[in-house]
PDB file of all heavy atoms in Angstrom:
ATOM      1  N   ILE A 260       9.981  -2.317 -12.820  1.00 98.00           N
ATOM      2  CA  ILE A 260      10.952  -1.657 -13.707  1.00 98.00           C
ATOM      3  C   ILE A 260      12.330  -2.269 -13.475  1.00 98.00           C
ATOM      4  O   ILE A 260      13.080  -2.545 -14.413  1.00 98.00           O
ATOM      5  CB  ILE A 260      10.957  -0.127 -13.439  1.00 98.00           C
ATOM      6  CG1 ILE A 260       9.655   0.493 -13.973  1.00 98.00           C
ATOM      7  CG2 ILE A 260      12.186   0.550 -14.062  1.00 98.00           C
ATOM      8  CD1 ILE A 260       9.427   1.944 -13.580  1.00 98.00           C
ATOM      9  N   PHE A 261      12.626  -2.556 -12.221  1.00 98.00           N
ATOM     10  CA  PHE A 261      13.912  -3.197 -11.925  1.00 98.00           C
ATOM     11  C   PHE A 261      13.956  -4.629 -12.479  1.00 98.00           C
ATOM     12  O   PHE A 261      14.971  -5.077 -13.002  1.00 98.00           O
ATOM     13  CB  PHE A 261      14.181  -3.188 -10.417  1.00 98.00           C
ATOM     14  CG  PHE A 261      15.531  -3.739 -10.087  1.00 98.00           C
ATOM     15  CD1 PHE A 261      16.682  -3.063 -10.471  1.00 98.00           C
ATOM     16  CD2 PHE A 261      15.659  -4.955  -9.432  1.00 98.00           C
ATOM     17  CE1 PHE A 261      17.944  -3.581 -10.208  1.00 98.00           C
ATOM     18  CE2 PHE A 261      16.923  -5.486  -9.156  1.00 98.00           C
ATOM     19  CZ  PHE A 261      18.057  -4.791  -9.542  1.00 98.00           C
ATOM     20  N   THR A 262      12.830  -5.309 -12.403  1.00 98.00           N
ATOM     21  CA  THR A 262      12.759  -6.681 -12.932  1.00 98.00           C
ATOM     22  C   THR A 262      12.993  -6.686 -14.447  1.00 98.00           C
ATOM     23  O   THR A 262      13.673  -7.561 -14.984  1.00 98.00           O
ATOM     24  CB  THR A 262      11.378  -7.302 -12.602  1.00 98.00           C
ATOM     25  OG1 THR A 262      11.191  -7.267 -11.186  1.00 98.00           O
ATOM     26  CG2 THR A 262      11.284  -8.734 -13.081  1.00 98.00           C
ATOM     27  N   LYS A 263      12.437  -5.684 -15.113  1.00 98.00           N
ATOM     28  CA  LYS A 263      12.620  -5.562 -16.567  1.00 98.00           C
ATOM     29  C   LYS A 263      14.108  -5.376 -16.895  1.00 98.00           C
ATOM     30  O   LYS A 263      14.633  -5.955 -17.851  1.00 98.00           O
ATOM     31  CB  LYS A 263      11.768  -4.391 -17.075  1.00 98.00           C
ATOM     32  CG  LYS A 263      12.164  -3.771 -18.394  1.00 98.00           C
ATOM     33  CD  LYS A 263      11.628  -4.582 -19.563  1.00 98.00           C
ATOM     34  CE  LYS A 263      11.694  -3.832 -20.887  1.00 98.00           C
ATOM     35  NZ  LYS A 263      13.042  -3.540 -21.370  1.00 98.00           N
ATOM     36  N   TYR A 264      14.775  -4.558 -16.091  1.00 98.00           N
ATOM     37  CA  TYR A 264      16.218  -4.359 -16.265  1.00 98.00           C
ATOM     38  C   TYR A 264      16.949  -5.705 -16.122  1.00 98.00           C
ATOM     39  O   TYR A 264      17.822  -6.042 -16.931  1.00 98.00           O
ATOM     40  CB  TYR A 264      16.695  -3.337 -15.225  1.00 98.00           C
ATOM     41  CG  TYR A 264      18.166  -3.353 -14.877  1.00 98.00           C
ATOM     42  CD1 TYR A 264      19.103  -2.692 -15.675  1.00 98.00           C
ATOM     43  CD2 TYR A 264      18.614  -4.013 -13.732  1.00 98.00           C
ATOM     44  CE1 TYR A 264      20.451  -2.693 -15.329  1.00 98.00           C
ATOM     45  CE2 TYR A 264      19.957  -4.015 -13.381  1.00 98.00           C
ATOM     46  CZ  TYR A 264      20.871  -3.354 -14.188  1.00 98.00           C
ATOM     47  OH  TYR A 264      22.203  -3.358 -13.843  1.00 98.00           O
ATOM     48  N   LEU A 265      16.565  -6.497 -15.122  1.00 98.00           N
ATOM     49  CA  LEU A 265      17.208  -7.804 -14.935  1.00 98.00           C
ATOM     50  C   LEU A 265      16.930  -8.720 -16.126  1.00 98.00           C
ATOM     51  O   LEU A 265      17.817  -9.433 -16.592  1.00 98.00           O
ATOM     52  CB  LEU A 265      16.718  -8.472 -13.639  1.00 98.00           C
ATOM     53  CG  LEU A 265      17.146  -7.816 -12.319  1.00 98.00           C
ATOM     54  CD1 LEU A 265      16.470  -8.498 -11.139  1.00 98.00           C
ATOM     55  CD2 LEU A 265      18.667  -7.840 -12.148  1.00 98.00           C
ATOM     56  N   GLN A 266      15.688  -8.683 -16.614  1.00 98.00           N
ATOM     57  CA  GLN A 266      15.370  -9.514 -17.782  1.00 98.00           C
ATOM     58  C   GLN A 266      16.254  -9.111 -18.966  1.00 98.00           C
ATOM     59  O   GLN A 266      16.792  -9.964 -19.668  1.00 98.00           O
ATOM     60  CB  GLN A 266      13.889  -9.386 -18.172  1.00 98.00           C
ATOM     61  CG  GLN A 266      13.548 -10.165 -19.432  1.00 98.00           C
ATOM     62  CD  GLN A 266      12.059 -10.249 -19.733  1.00 98.00           C
ATOM     63  OE1 GLN A 266      11.439  -9.273 -20.154  1.00 98.00           O
ATOM     64  NE2 GLN A 266      11.477 -11.419 -19.528  1.00 98.00           N
ATOM     65  N   ASP A 267      16.441  -7.811 -19.138  1.00 98.00           N
ATOM     66  CA  ASP A 267      17.238  -7.322 -20.260  1.00 98.00           C
ATOM     67  C   ASP A 267      18.702  -7.730 -20.134  1.00 98.00           C
ATOM     68  O   ASP A 267      19.280  -8.242 -21.087  1.00 98.00           O
ATOM     69  CB  ASP A 267      17.159  -5.792 -20.359  1.00 98.00           C
ATOM     70  CG  ASP A 267      15.799  -5.329 -20.858  1.00 98.00           C
ATOM     71  OD1 ASP A 267      15.030  -6.184 -21.348  1.00 98.00           O
ATOM     72  OD2 ASP A 267      15.504  -4.124 -20.748  1.00 98.00           O
ATOM     73  N   ILE A 268      19.316  -7.505 -18.959  1.00 98.00           N
ATOM     74  CA  ILE A 268      20.756  -7.760 -18.916  1.00 98.00           C
ATOM     75  C   ILE A 268      21.088  -9.251 -18.815  1.00 98.00           C
ATOM     76  O   ILE A 268      22.137  -9.668 -19.260  1.00 98.00           O
ATOM     77  CB  ILE A 268      21.519  -6.936 -17.843  1.00 98.00           C
ATOM     78  CG1 ILE A 268      21.076  -7.287 -16.441  1.00 98.00           C
ATOM     79  CG2 ILE A 268      21.429  -5.438 -18.080  1.00 98.00           C
ATOM     80  CD1 ILE A 268      22.004  -6.639 -15.397  1.00 98.00           C
ATOM     81  N   PHE A 269      20.191 -10.037 -18.246  1.00 98.00           N
ATOM     82  CA  PHE A 269      20.492 -11.475 -18.124  1.00 98.00           C
ATOM     83  C   PHE A 269      19.746 -12.330 -19.158  1.00 98.00           C
ATOM     84  O   PHE A 269      19.893 -13.543 -19.174  1.00 98.00           O
ATOM     85  CB  PHE A 269      20.185 -11.975 -16.713  1.00 98.00           C
ATOM     86  CG  PHE A 269      21.121 -11.418 -15.671  1.00 98.00           C
ATOM     87  CD1 PHE A 269      20.713 -10.418 -14.801  1.00 98.00           C
ATOM     88  CD2 PHE A 269      22.430 -11.890 -15.565  1.00 98.00           C
ATOM     89  CE1 PHE A 269      21.582  -9.891 -13.852  1.00 98.00           C
ATOM     90  CE2 PHE A 269      23.305 -11.375 -14.621  1.00 98.00           C
ATOM     91  CZ  PHE A 269      22.882 -10.371 -13.758  1.00 98.00           C
ATOM     92  N   GLY A 270      18.919 -11.693 -19.963  1.00 98.00           N
ATOM     93  CA  GLY A 270      18.147 -12.441 -20.960  1.00 98.00           C
ATOM     94  C   GLY A 270      17.254 -13.499 -20.315  1.00 98.00           C
ATOM     95  O   GLY A 270      17.022 -14.572 -20.870  1.00 98.00           O
ATOM     96  N   ALA A 271      16.750 -13.181 -19.113  1.00 98.00           N
ATOM     97  CA  ALA A 271      16.059 -14.200 -18.323  1.00 98.00           C
ATOM     98  C   ALA A 271      14.564 -14.288 -18.624  1.00 98.00           C
ATOM     99  O   ALA A 271      13.923 -13.300 -18.977  1.00 98.00           O
ATOM    100  CB  ALA A 271      16.246 -13.909 -16.831  1.00 98.00           C
ATOM    101  N   GLU A 272      14.036 -15.491 -18.474  1.00 98.00           N
ATOM    102  CA  GLU A 272      12.584 -15.671 -18.497  1.00 98.00           C
ATOM    103  C   GLU A 272      11.998 -15.126 -17.206  1.00 98.00           C
ATOM    104  O   GLU A 272      12.676 -15.109 -16.171  1.00 98.00           O
ATOM    105  CB  GLU A 272      12.240 -17.154 -18.586  1.00 98.00           C
ATOM    106  CG  GLU A 272      12.517 -17.711 -19.952  1.00 98.00           C
ATOM    107  CD  GLU A 272      11.740 -18.996 -20.203  1.00 98.00           C
ATOM    108  OE1 GLU A 272      10.555 -19.077 -19.838  1.00 98.00           O
ATOM    109  OE2 GLU A 272      12.361 -19.907 -20.750  1.00 98.00           O
ATOM    110  N   LEU A 273      10.737 -14.721 -17.262  1.00 98.00           N
ATOM    111  CA  LEU A 273      10.067 -14.180 -16.071  1.00 98.00           C
ATOM    112  C   LEU A 273       8.719 -14.858 -15.851  1.00 98.00           C
ATOM    113  O   LEU A 273       7.916 -14.963 -16.780  1.00 98.00           O
ATOM    114  CB  LEU A 273       9.856 -12.668 -16.236  1.00 98.00           C
ATOM    115  CG  LEU A 273       8.869 -12.003 -15.267  1.00 98.00           C
ATOM    116  CD1 LEU A 273       9.402 -12.005 -13.834  1.00 98.00           C
ATOM    117  CD2 LEU A 273       8.560 -10.562 -15.688  1.00 98.00           C
ATOM    118  N   TYR A 274       8.506 -15.324 -14.646  1.00 98.00           N
ATOM    119  CA  TYR A 274       7.167 -15.763 -14.213  1.00 98.00           C
ATOM    120  C   TYR A 274       6.599 -14.648 -13.344  1.00 98.00           C
ATOM    121  O   TYR A 274       7.255 -14.235 -12.389  1.00 98.00           O
ATOM    122  CB  TYR A 274       7.249 -17.073 -13.421  1.00 98.00           C
ATOM    123  CG  TYR A 274       7.511 -18.269 -14.299  1.00 98.00           C
ATOM    124  CD1 TYR A 274       8.770 -18.467 -14.873  1.00 98.00           C
ATOM    125  CD2 TYR A 274       6.503 -19.194 -14.577  1.00 98.00           C
ATOM    126  CE1 TYR A 274       9.010 -19.550 -15.708  1.00 98.00           C
ATOM    127  CE2 TYR A 274       6.739 -20.288 -15.401  1.00 98.00           C
ATOM    128  CZ  TYR A 274       7.990 -20.465 -15.967  1.00 98.00           C
ATOM    129  OH  TYR A 274       8.226 -21.529 -16.783  1.00 98.00           O
ATOM    130  N   PHE A 275       5.416 -14.177 -13.689  1.00 98.00           N
ATOM    131  CA  PHE A 275       4.798 -13.067 -12.950  1.00 98.00           C
ATOM    132  C   PHE A 275       3.463 -13.531 -12.384  1.00 98.00           C
ATOM    133  O   PHE A 275       2.541 -13.847 -13.131  1.00 98.00           O
ATOM    134  CB  PHE A 275       4.615 -11.859 -13.890  1.00 98.00           C
ATOM    135  CG  PHE A 275       4.288 -10.588 -13.148  1.00 98.00           C
ATOM    136  CD1 PHE A 275       5.234  -9.585 -13.014  1.00 98.00           C
ATOM    137  CD2 PHE A 275       3.032 -10.414 -12.556  1.00 98.00           C
ATOM    138  CE1 PHE A 275       4.932  -8.418 -12.302  1.00 98.00           C
ATOM    139  CE2 PHE A 275       2.737  -9.258 -11.839  1.00 98.00           C
ATOM    140  CZ  PHE A 275       3.683  -8.255 -11.715  1.00 98.00           C
ATOM    141  N   GLN A 276       3.359 -13.569 -11.050  1.00 98.00           N
ATOM    142  CA  GLN A 276       2.152 -14.110 -10.412  1.00 98.00           C
ATOM    143  C   GLN A 276       1.151 -13.023 -10.006  1.00 98.00           C
ATOM    144  O   GLN A 276       1.509 -12.082  -9.297  1.00 98.00           O
ATOM    145  CB  GLN A 276       2.549 -14.902  -9.153  1.00 98.00           C
ATOM    146  CG  GLN A 276       1.369 -15.514  -8.420  1.00 98.00           C
ATOM    147  CD  GLN A 276       1.767 -16.302  -7.181  1.00 98.00           C
ATOM    148  OE1 GLN A 276       2.667 -15.918  -6.441  1.00 98.00           O
ATOM    149  NE2 GLN A 276       1.104 -17.421  -6.956  1.00 98.00           N
ATOM    150  N   MET A 277      -0.082 -13.165 -10.430  1.00 98.00           N
ATOM    151  CA  MET A 277      -1.181 -12.311  -9.970  1.00 98.00           C
ATOM    152  C   MET A 277      -1.940 -13.083  -8.901  1.00 98.00           C
ATOM    153  O   MET A 277      -2.609 -14.089  -9.212  1.00 98.00           O
ATOM    154  CB  MET A 277      -2.147 -11.999 -11.124  1.00 98.00           C
ATOM    155  CG  MET A 277      -1.558 -11.157 -12.225  1.00 98.00           C
ATOM    156  SD  MET A 277      -1.275  -9.489 -11.603  1.00 98.00           S
ATOM    157  CE  MET A 277      -0.548  -8.755 -13.078  1.00 98.00           C
ATOM    158  N   THR A 278      -1.850 -12.620  -7.657  1.00 98.00           N
ATOM    159  CA  THR A 278      -2.463 -13.371  -6.559  1.00 98.00           C
ATOM    160  C   THR A 278      -3.880 -12.856  -6.275  1.00 98.00           C
ATOM    161  O   THR A 278      -4.142 -12.265  -5.229  1.00 98.00           O
ATOM    162  CB  THR A 278      -1.597 -13.269  -5.290  1.00 98.00           C
ATOM    163  OG1 THR A 278      -1.373 -11.879  -4.996  1.00 98.00           O
ATOM    164  CG2 THR A 278      -0.256 -13.947  -5.469  1.00 98.00           C
ATOM    165  N   ASP A 279      -4.785 -13.140  -7.212  1.00 98.00           N
ATOM    166  CA  ASP A 279      -6.183 -12.717  -7.005  1.00 98.00           C
ATOM    167  C   ASP A 279      -6.796 -13.439  -5.804  1.00 98.00           C
ATOM    168  O   ASP A 279      -7.603 -12.886  -5.065  1.00 98.00           O
ATOM    169  CB  ASP A 279      -7.024 -12.924  -8.277  1.00 98.00           C
ATOM    170  CG  ASP A 279      -7.071 -14.361  -8.746  1.00 98.00           C
ATOM    171  OD1 ASP A 279      -6.148 -15.140  -8.428  1.00 98.00           O
ATOM    172  OD2 ASP A 279      -8.052 -14.723  -9.446  1.00 98.00           O
ATOM    173  N   ASP A 280      -6.344 -14.686  -5.588  1.00 98.00           N
ATOM    174  CA  ASP A 280      -6.814 -15.451  -4.428  1.00 98.00           C
ATOM    175  C   ASP A 280      -6.416 -14.765  -3.113  1.00 98.00           C
ATOM    176  O   ASP A 280      -7.218 -14.601  -2.200  1.00 98.00           O
ATOM    177  CB  ASP A 280      -6.261 -16.885  -4.475  1.00 98.00           C
ATOM    178  CG  ASP A 280      -4.757 -16.956  -4.717  1.00 98.00           C
ATOM    179  OD1 ASP A 280      -4.129 -15.904  -4.999  1.00 98.00           O
ATOM    180  OD2 ASP A 280      -4.191 -18.060  -4.628  1.00 98.00           O
ATOM    181  N   GLU A 281      -5.146 -14.323  -3.067  1.00 98.00           N
ATOM    182  CA  GLU A 281      -4.646 -13.670  -1.845  1.00 98.00           C
ATOM    183  C   GLU A 281      -5.477 -12.439  -1.500  1.00 98.00           C
ATOM    184  O   GLU A 281      -5.921 -12.264  -0.358  1.00 98.00           O
ATOM    185  CB  GLU A 281      -3.178 -13.255  -2.050  1.00 98.00           C
ATOM    186  CG  GLU A 281      -2.630 -12.406  -0.908  1.00 98.00           C
ATOM    187  CD  GLU A 281      -1.271 -11.762  -1.214  1.00 98.00           C
ATOM    188  OE1 GLU A 281      -0.888 -11.688  -2.399  1.00 98.00           O
ATOM    189  OE2 GLU A 281      -0.625 -11.319  -0.261  1.00 98.00           O
ATOM    190  N   LYS A 282      -5.672 -11.582  -2.484  1.00 98.00           N
ATOM    191  CA  LYS A 282      -6.370 -10.327  -2.206  1.00 98.00           C
ATOM    192  C   LYS A 282      -7.823 -10.580  -1.823  1.00 98.00           C
ATOM    193  O   LYS A 282      -8.400  -9.851  -1.027  1.00 98.00           O
ATOM    194  CB  LYS A 282      -6.252  -9.374  -3.396  1.00 98.00           C
ATOM    195  CG  LYS A 282      -4.836  -8.887  -3.589  1.00 98.00           C
ATOM    196  CD  LYS A 282      -4.388  -8.039  -2.401  1.00 98.00           C
ATOM    197  CE  LYS A 282      -2.924  -8.239  -2.076  1.00 98.00           C
ATOM    198  NZ  LYS A 282      -2.417  -7.405  -0.982  1.00 98.00           N
ATOM    199  N   PHE A 283      -8.411 -11.622  -2.397  1.00 98.00           N
ATOM    200  CA  PHE A 283      -9.766 -12.015  -1.990  1.00 98.00           C
ATOM    201  C   PHE A 283      -9.766 -12.488  -0.526  1.00 98.00           C
ATOM    202  O   PHE A 283     -10.589 -12.057   0.291  1.00 98.00           O
ATOM    203  CB  PHE A 283     -10.275 -13.124  -2.914  1.00 98.00           C
ATOM    204  CG  PHE A 283     -11.553 -13.754  -2.447  1.00 98.00           C
ATOM    205  CD1 PHE A 283     -12.736 -13.024  -2.406  1.00 98.00           C
ATOM    206  CD2 PHE A 283     -11.577 -15.084  -2.026  1.00 98.00           C
ATOM    207  CE1 PHE A 283     -13.916 -13.608  -1.955  1.00 98.00           C
ATOM    208  CE2 PHE A 283     -12.756 -15.665  -1.580  1.00 98.00           C
ATOM    209  CZ  PHE A 283     -13.925 -14.929  -1.542  1.00 98.00           C
ATOM    210  N   LEU A 284      -8.820 -13.325  -0.190  1.00 98.00           N
ATOM    211  CA  LEU A 284      -8.792 -13.900   1.165  1.00 98.00           C
ATOM    212  C   LEU A 284      -8.471 -12.884   2.257  1.00 98.00           C
ATOM    213  O   LEU A 284      -8.987 -12.963   3.366  1.00 98.00           O
ATOM    214  CB  LEU A 284      -7.740 -15.023   1.229  1.00 98.00           C
ATOM    215  CG  LEU A 284      -8.088 -16.317   0.499  1.00 98.00           C
ATOM    216  CD1 LEU A 284      -6.849 -17.192   0.343  1.00 98.00           C
ATOM    217  CD2 LEU A 284      -9.185 -17.063   1.255  1.00 98.00           C
ATOM    218  N   PHE A 285      -7.591 -11.942   1.927  1.00 97.00           N
ATOM    219  CA  PHE A 285      -7.107 -11.021   2.960  1.00 97.00           C
ATOM    220  C   PHE A 285      -7.888  -9.720   3.035  1.00 97.00           C
ATOM    221  O   PHE A 285      -7.603  -8.889   3.873  1.00 97.00           O
ATOM    222  CB  PHE A 285      -5.614 -10.715   2.743  1.00 97.00           C
ATOM    223  CG  PHE A 285      -4.717 -11.829   3.193  1.00 97.00           C
ATOM    224  CD1 PHE A 285      -4.402 -12.872   2.340  1.00 97.00           C
ATOM    225  CD2 PHE A 285      -4.204 -11.848   4.486  1.00 97.00           C
ATOM    226  CE1 PHE A 285      -3.584 -13.913   2.754  1.00 97.00           C
ATOM    227  CE2 PHE A 285      -3.385 -12.880   4.912  1.00 97.00           C
ATOM    228  CZ  PHE A 285      -3.075 -13.924   4.048  1.00 97.00           C
ATOM    229  N   ASN A 286      -8.819  -9.522   2.105  1.00 97.00           N
ATOM    230  CA  ASN A 286      -9.516  -8.250   2.074  1.00 97.00           C
ATOM    231  C   ASN A 286     -11.027  -8.454   2.094  1.00 97.00           C
ATOM    232  O   ASN A 286     -11.616  -8.921   1.127  1.00 97.00           O
ATOM    233  CB  ASN A 286      -9.099  -7.509   0.797  1.00 97.00           C
ATOM    234  CG  ASN A 286      -9.380  -6.045   0.899  1.00 97.00           C
ATOM    235  OD1 ASN A 286     -10.429  -5.642   1.384  1.00 97.00           O
ATOM    236  ND2 ASN A 286      -8.440  -5.236   0.436  1.00 97.00           N
ATOM    237  N   ASP A 287     -11.650  -8.088   3.214  1.00 96.00           N
ATOM    238  CA  ASP A 287     -13.081  -8.324   3.402  1.00 96.00           C
ATOM    239  C   ASP A 287     -13.943  -7.706   2.315  1.00 96.00           C
ATOM    240  O   ASP A 287     -14.992  -8.235   1.979  1.00 96.00           O
ATOM    241  CB  ASP A 287     -13.533  -7.748   4.753  1.00 96.00           C
ATOM    242  CG  ASP A 287     -13.072  -8.637   5.885  1.00 96.00           C
ATOM    243  OD1 ASP A 287     -12.756  -9.817   5.602  1.00 96.00           O
ATOM    244  OD2 ASP A 287     -12.993  -8.148   7.036  1.00 96.00           O
TER     245      ASP A 287
END
Side-chain angles (χ1 to χ4, degrees):
I260 289 171
F261 184 67
T262 303
K263 158 82 166 66
Y264 158 83
L265 292 174
Q266 176 171 73
D267 288 347
I268 64 170
F269 292 105
E272 287 200 42
L273 165 68
Y274 286 72
F275 193 107
Q276 180 180 38
M277 294 291 178
T278 54
D279 60 336
D280 50 352
E281 172 191 17
K282 292 295 144 177
F283 170 66
L284 288 166
F285 283 87
N286 199 318
D287 285 341

